[in-house]
Amino acid sequence: MSVPSLDSRKMVFKKGFTDDGNDTTISLLQYNILADAAIPRGDSGTNVCGTYAFCPEMHRYMDSRFEKIIKEVESLNPDIITLQEIEQVFFENTLQPGMNKLGYASVQHLRPGDHIGLAIFYKNEKFSLLSHCQFLIHEKLPSVLQEAGLESSVALDIGEYVKRHSEYPGIIGPAGDLMVRLKVKATGTVIAVANVHVTWKEHKYPFLQIFQMSCVLEELFKFAEGALCILAGDFNATPDMPLYHMISSGKVCEVTDHLVQSNSYHRDRDVRFGGKRAVEILKMIDFKLKVKSSYFEVMGREPVYTNWGDMEMDAEGDEVHKLCLDYICYENGDEKSKQFLYPYAVLDVPPEHVIAEHAGLPSAIFPSDHLPIYAAFKLKQALQ
């Protein structure tokens, strides 16, 4: 089946990879599918997510985009799917029934205030759902900080700060997280998957993003109960930004702080809580969960872009931004767990000219302002 949005994309395999056919494989699709609520009707008006006026109205909304999304899912046939920007009515009336027909079960988390959120789909025939959890990040963060040794009053202040800066009242609700523990029916192996949509905020608040991700990493470690972990989502940060450095290095350090301080565009460079700078507080967290990027592990780099929209025009007004914002990260495993995850293939993005022909995303071919990314893993058991 030919799917125009996938025809120009190539599956890239890790150098030296050989398939002996003996290991369990797990594949995951990460996709921000662009909620209709983020798009103003008509060609006028402004919105925190842009107008998307370059996209013909007949291709701009979910009533025309959904069929293309389903065809992408059907073609890639992933075992697990993490989705962002899922509207409640759309989920209940359209998305969930459509995915059920393809053999997927699901869990969902809605943000208060805008009824938009996250969803995780998984193949019924391959997995059993052991448990799931959902939470608002600003509500969980204070306990994470207190466990790291921060005073209760200061931790609560940071939680309120994160809530205040992660929402646009009346438009976007505060950031949340959704996690599942799945058992592979064939082997009994358990994996934990987290889906997160980090706050965009025009990249002006890097410490806000790091506080959010710190909470997610710590909560995922506890929720997994020793299971291997996959963390996927729209991180709303490029590979040269502080959040990416924090994830890839597994800690908040002087380099992270330098990346924040060196850019005058950042509005939270000098934010303090209880007299302490944000970086001093974040350094208190000893991250127990270390994750790697599947794309970087396979290709030696992240995708050139996963988002191509209209929010940042150049002086001539004829250039759209092209950013890598979406990631699939994983925990490699260790000798203690006797289990290991190895990414062996990822789906590269289409060439620029293919998207440029339509001025950006979404378009008549591509059904969202984000591109779906895909990673396939080998699940290996250590020799006893």
Side-chain angles (χ1 to χ4, degrees), residues 11 13 27 29 65 91 103 127 145-146 152 173 175 177 250:
M11 198 68 73
F13 291 86
S27 57
L29 179 72
R65 295 190 286 119
F91 176 83
F127 302 102
L145 296 172
Q146 289 177 61
S152 174
D177 188 70

Side-chain angles (χ1 to χ4, degrees), residues 119-175:
I120 297 177
F121 289 86
Y122 57 92
K123 282 187 176 178
N124 255 325
E125 66 178 12
K126 188 161 188 171
F127 302 102
S128 297
L129 177 65
L130 298 180
S131 61
H132 74 279
C133 75
Q134 56 192 49
F135 57 86
L136 296 175
I137 292 175
H138 71 272
E139 293 180 350
K140 282 284 187 181
L141 180 60
S143 64
V144 169
L145 296 172
Q146 289 177 61
E147 289 168 6
L150 191 65
E151 300 92 329
S152 174
S153 59
V154 179
L156 290 171
D157 285 345
I158 295 174
E160 283 302 309
Y161 173 86
V162 169
K163 178 180 185 296
R164 184 168 66 253
H165 287 284
S166 66
E167 63 182 348
Y168 295 83
I171 302 175
I172 296 178

Side-chain angles (χ1 to χ4, degrees), residues 93-329:
N93 296 343
T94 306
L95 181 61
Q96 190 176 44
M99 294 294 284
N100 285 349
K101 291 179 181 178
L102 297 181
Y104 292 94
S106 60
V107 294
Q108 183 198 27
H109 171 56
L110 293 172
R111 298 183 304 223
D114 62 3
H115 302 290
I116 298 174
L118 311 168
I120 297 177
F121 289 86
Y122 57 92
K123 282 187 176 178
N124 255 325
E125 66 178 12
K126 188 161 188 171
F127 302 102
S128 297
L129 177 65
L130 298 180
S131 61
H132 74 279
C133 75
Q134 56 192 49
F135 57 86
L136 296 175
I137 292 175
H138 71 272
E139 293 180 350
K140 282 284 187 181
L141 180 60
S143 64
V144 169
L145 296 172
Q146 289 177 61
E147 289 168 6
L150 191 65
E151 300 92 329
S152 174
S153 59
V154 179
L156 290 171
D157 285 345
I158 295 174
E160 283 302 309
Y161 173 86
V162 169
K163 178 180 185 296
R164 184 168 66 253
H165 287 284
S166 66
E167 63 182 348
Y168 295 83
I171 302 175
I172 296 178
D177 188 70
L178 178 64
M179 301 179 183
V180 296
R181 289 177 71 246
L182 301 171
K183 183 171 73 173
V184 181
K185 291 181 178 180
T187 64
T189 304
V190 178
I191 61 169
V193 180
N195 179 4
V196 64
H197 191 179
V198 176
T199 297
W200 162 252
K201 211 72 174 183
E202 299 171 319
H203 291 155
K204 294 178 181 178
Y205 293 86
F207 279 133
L208 169 70
Q209 293 188 324
I210 294 173
F211 273 124
Q212 290 179 336
M213 188 59 74
S214 298
C215 178
V216 171
L217 285 170
E218 289 296 277
E219 289 300 310
L220 177 57
F221 176 81
K222 289 185 285 187
F223 174 75
E225 298 180 357
L228 290 170
C229 297
I230 298 177
L231 169 65
D234 177 355
F235 294 180
N236 265 323
T238 58
D240 60 347
M241 291 183 176
L243 178 64
Y244 184 89
H245 178 269
M246 169 260 191
I247 296 170
S248 59
S249 65
K251 59 185 177 181
V252 176
C253 60
E254 285 71 18
V255 176
T256 318
D257 190 37
H258 172 73
L259 291 172
V260 176
Q261 301 302 322
S262 62
N263 193 337
S264 60
Y265 184 71
H266 296 152
R267 293 185 178 178
D268 63 354
R269 288 184 299 166
D270 300 313
V271 65
R272 291 175 180 268
F273 304 95
K276 296 180 180 179
R277 293 181 58 235
V279 68
E280 296 173 27
I281 294 170
L282 287 161
K283 282 182 180 179
M284 296 171 65
I285 304 175
D286 180 20
F287 294 105
K288 304 172 190 68
L289 179 62
K290 310 293 184 182
V291 296
K292 300 178 181 180
S293 164
S294 57
Y295 271 75
F296 192 88
E297 185 68 15
V298 173
M299 299 199 304
R301 62 172 176 82
E302 300 297 344
V304 179
Y305 40 74
T306 64
N307 172 249
W308 186 320
D310 69 336
M311 282 181 280
E312 297 177 4
M313 297 291 185
D314 68 4
E316 288 73 37
D318 58 3
E319 180 70 26
V320 294
H321 77 256
K322 302 180 280 285
L323 304 173
C324 176
L325 302 178
D326 301 82
Y327 302 90
I328 301 172
C329 298

